[in-house]
Coordinates of all heavy atoms in Angstrom, one line a residue:
Chain Z
A5 N 28.6 -0.6 -12.3 CA 27.5 0.3 -12.5 C 27.4 1.0 -13.8 O 26.4 1.6 -14.2 CB 27.5 1.4 -11.4
M9 N 23.0 1.3 -20.8 CA 21.6 1.8 -20.7 C 21.4 2.7 -19.5 O 20.3 3.1 -19.2 CB 20.6 0.7 -20.7 CG 20.8 -0.4 -21.7 SD 20.0 0.1 -23.2 CE 18.3 -0.5 -22.9
P12 N 21.1 8.9 -16.0 CA 21.4 9.6 -14.8 C 20.1 9.8 -14.0 O 19.0 10.1 -14.6 CB 21.8 11.0 -15.3 CG 22.1 10.9 -16.7 CD 21.3 9.7 -17.2
K21 N 17.5 -0.4 -8.1 CA 18.0 -0.6 -6.8 C 17.2 0.1 -5.7 O 16.9 -0.5 -4.7 CB 19.5 -0.1 -6.7 CG 20.3 -0.6 -5.5 CD 21.8 -0.4 -5.8 CE 22.5 -0.6 -4.5 NZ 23.9 -0.5 -4.6
W25 N 14.9 -1.8 -2.6 CA 15.0 -1.4 -1.2 C 13.6 -0.9 -0.7 O 13.2 -1.1 0.4 CB 16.0 -0.3 -1.0 CG 17.4 -0.8 -0.8 CD1 18.5 -0.7 -1.6 CD2 17.9 -1.5 0.3 NE1 19.6 -1.4 -1.1 CE2 19.2 -1.8 0.1 CE3 17.3 -1.9 1.6 CZ2 20.0 -2.5 1.1 CZ3 18.0 -2.6 2.5 CH2 19.4 -2.9 2.2
T26 N 12.9 -0.3 -1.6 CA 11.5 0.2 -1.2 C 10.7 -1.1 -0.9 O 9.9 -1.1 0.0 CB 10.9 1.0 -2.4 OG1 11.8 2.0 -2.8 CG2 9.6 1.6 -2.0
E31 N 8.2 -4.9 3.0 CA 8.1 -6.2 3.5 C 8.4 -6.3 5.0 O 7.9 -7.3 5.6 CB 9.0 -7.1 2.7 CG 8.7 -7.2 1.2 CD 8.1 -8.6 0.9 OE1 6.9 -8.8 1.1 OE2 8.9 -9.4 0.4
K46 N 1.4 -16.2 21.6 CA 2.3 -17.1 22.3 C 1.8 -17.5 23.6 O 1.4 -16.6 24.4 CB 3.7 -16.4 22.4 CG 4.9 -17.3 22.7 CD 6.2 -16.5 22.5 CE 7.2 -17.0 23.4 NZ 7.7 -18.4 23.0
S49 N -2.2 -21.1 23.3 CA -2.9 -22.2 22.7 C -3.7 -23.0 23.7 O -3.3 -23.2 24.8 CB -1.8 -23.2 22.1 OG -1.1 -22.6 21.0
F74 N 9.8 -28.8 19.0 CA 10.9 -28.2 18.3 C 12.1 -29.1 18.3 O 12.4 -29.7 19.4 CB 11.3 -26.8 18.8 CG 10.4 -25.7 18.2 CD1 10.4 -24.5 18.8 CD2 9.8 -25.9 17.0 CE1 9.6 -23.5 18.3 CE2 9.0 -24.9 16.5 CZ 9.0 -23.6 17.1
E75 N 12.8 -29.2 17.2 CA 14.1 -29.8 17.2 C 15.2 -28.8 16.8 O 15.4 -28.5 15.6 CB 14.1 -31.0 16.2 CG 13.5 -32.2 16.9 CD 13.1 -33.3 16.0 OE1 13.9 -33.5 15.0 OE2 12.0 -34.0 16.1
L87 N 22.6 -18.6 6.4 CA 23.6 -17.5 6.6 C 24.7 -17.6 5.6 O 25.2 -16.6 5.0 CB 24.1 -17.6 8.0 CG 23.3 -17.0 9.1 CD1 23.9 -17.2 10.5 CD2 23.1 -15.5 8.9
G99 N 32.3 -11.9 -8.1 CA 32.7 -12.5 -9.4 C 32.1 -11.8 -10.6 O 32.7 -11.6 -11.6
V109 N 29.4 -18.3 -11.4 CA 28.6 -19.4 -11.6 C 28.7 -20.4 -10.4 O 27.8 -20.9 -9.8 CB 28.9 -20.2 -12.9 CG1 28.2 -21.5 -13.0 CG2 28.4 -19.3 -14.1
S113 N 25.7 -21.1 -7.8 CA 25.2 -22.5 -7.7 C 25.1 -22.9 -6.2 O 24.1 -23.5 -5.8 CB 26.1 -23.5 -8.4 OG 26.4 -23.0 -9.7
K136 N 3.4 -35.4 14.2 CA 3.4 -35.4 15.6 C 2.2 -34.7 16.2 O 2.1 -34.4 17.3 CB 4.7 -34.8 16.2 CG 5.9 -35.6 15.9 CD 7.2 -35.0 16.4 CE 7.4 -35.3 17.8 NZ 8.7 -34.7 18.2
L138 N 0.8 -31.7 15.0 CA 0.6 -30.2 14.8 C 0.1 -29.9 13.4 O 0.9 -29.7 12.5 CB 1.9 -29.5 15.1 CG 1.8 -28.0 15.1 CD1 1.1 -27.5 16.4 CD2 3.2 -27.3 15.0
G146 N 0.3 -23.7 16.1 CA 0.4 -24.2 14.7 C 0.0 -23.2 13.7 O 0.8 -23.0 12.7
G163 N 13.0 -16.5 -4.1 CA 14.4 -16.1 -4.2 C 15.2 -17.2 -5.0 O 16.0 -16.9 -5.8
V179 N 25.6 -12.7 -18.0 CA 25.6 -11.7 -16.9 C 27.1 -11.1 -16.8 O 27.8 -11.5 -15.9 CB 25.3 -12.4 -15.6 CG1 25.1 -11.4 -14.4 CG2 23.9 -13.1 -15.7
V200 N 15.3 -11.7 7.6 CA 14.1 -12.0 8.3 C 14.2 -13.3 9.1 O 13.7 -13.4 10.2 CB 12.9 -12.2 7.2 CG1 11.7 -12.8 7.9 CG2 12.6 -10.9 6.6
V208 N 11.1 -17.4 17.4 CA 10.2 -18.5 17.4 C 10.9 -19.7 18.1 O 10.2 -20.4 18.9 CB 9.9 -18.9 15.9 CG1 9.2 -20.2 15.8 CG2 9.0 -17.8 15.3

Side-chain angles (χ1 to χ4, degrees):
Chain Z
M9 309 274 278
K21 194 163 169 179
W25 274 111
T26 307
E31 296 251 83
K46 195 169 152 67
S49 293
F74 275 162
E75 278 166 38
L87 279 174
V109 172
S113 311
K136 291 177 87 178
L138 187 69
V179 189
V200 170
V208 170

